[in-house]
Amino acid sequence: MKKRYTEEQIIKAIKDHEAGVKVDDICRRLGISTGTFYNWRSKYAGMEVNEAKRMKDLELENNKLKRILAEKLLEVEALKDVISKKW
């Protein structure tokens, strides 16, 4: 079963670790692996909750823009194919 944790929960776990709580204790409390904790730490270390939310919003916007770009590039290629055909 995959659990979904909020940025607040993730950042609180990282701050707990920085305050001296052992990684194993944090992982046991949240029901996550140590690998998950260290992935979170590499992504969210030093961030505040509002910064993490902003980063998530930017990632979503970036993915949307990438999708739009890919669609437009496909349209351009299709138009080039049509134009290159001799009538």
Side-chain angles (χ1 to χ4, degrees):
M1 177 171 85
K2 184 173 184 172
K3 295 180 182 177
R4 182 77 177 156
Y5 293 95
T6 64
E7 287 87 7
E8 292 92 351
Q9 291 170 312
I10 294 169
I11 291 172
K12 182 183 180 322
I14 294 168
K15 289 191 183 293
D16 288 348
H17 175 62
E18 291 170 353
V21 179
K22 293 181 180 178
V23 173
D24 289 338
D25 294 339
I26 295 169
C27 292
R28 194 174 310 109
R29 178 174 43 108
L30 295 175
I32 60 172
S33 69
T34 55
T36 297
F37 176 81
Y38 287 116
N39 285 338
W40 287 354
R41 192 178 74 173
S42 69
K43 186 172 183 180
Y44 292 101
M47 282 191 184
E48 296 299 324
V49 173
N50 62 340
E51 294 169 328
K53 285 184 178 182
R54 178 75 180 134
M55 183 180 71
K56 186 149 187 123
D57 291 343
L58 289 172
E59 286 174 347
L60 290 173
E61 182 180 2
N62 192 30
N63 288 335
K64 179 181 173 184
L65 292 172
K66 285 180 180 179
R67 246 187 339 273
I68 291 170
L69 177 62
E71 290 170 3
K72 293 300 173 190
L73 289 173
L74 284 173
E75 288 176 18
V76 167
E77 287 300 315
L79 290 172
K80 282 181 182 177
D81 286 346
V82 169
I83 291 173
S84 69
K85 301 232 188 273
K86 295 184 179 176
W87 299 96

